[in-house]
Amino acid sequence: MHRRIPAAAVEQGMAAAVRAGATTADVVAVEARRAAAPAPPPPEDQDDEGEQPPWAEPSGVVSLTARRAQLPEDKRPLPTVAHYDQLVTRQPQGTV
């Protein structure tokens, strides 16, 4: 890694990994590559005043608790494993 990435970027990667609480070489490599990468260009100024940001739109995710409250009561019997008991209690032939 230190042969292909500048030393300053490797040092920044090590510092970022320590701040994150990780000490693996993979994390250091990812952070070093991130530090060595050129900064992305600033976003273009678009005329989107008055529009809500994408994260403010409803996502369509439904709460499981709210969904369960709308469902009818489940009247099925509880699952059982009693039919497996015969496999456990049956003695193999030739042992008695």
Side-chain angles (χ1 to χ4, degrees):
M1 172 174 36
H2 65 281
R3 293 180 183 175
R4 299 186 189 271
I5 299 177
V10 174
E11 290 174 2
Q12 289 175 2
M14 289 171 30
V18 169
R19 281 193 305 273
T23 56
T24 63
D26 295 339
V27 175
V28 173
V30 167
E31 292 297 331
R33 288 184 189 112
R34 186 178 292 164
E44 294 181 16
D45 221 11
Q46 297 177 349
D47 187 21
D48 58 355
E49 291 183 21
E51 292 183 22
Q52 290 186 342
W55 59 84
E57 297 174 9
S59 65
V61 176
V62 178
S63 164
L64 184 57
T65 306
R67 176 71 178 118
R68 281 187 182 161
Q70 298 171 356
L71 295 175
E73 182 182 350
D74 188 5
K75 296 182 181 185
R76 296 178 293 177
L78 291 174
T80 178
V81 293
H83 57 280
Y84 289 109
D85 288 342
Q86 66 178 342
L87 299 173
V88 177
T89 57
R90 190 173 69 188
Q91 295 293 325
Q93 292 181 352
T95 58
V96 181

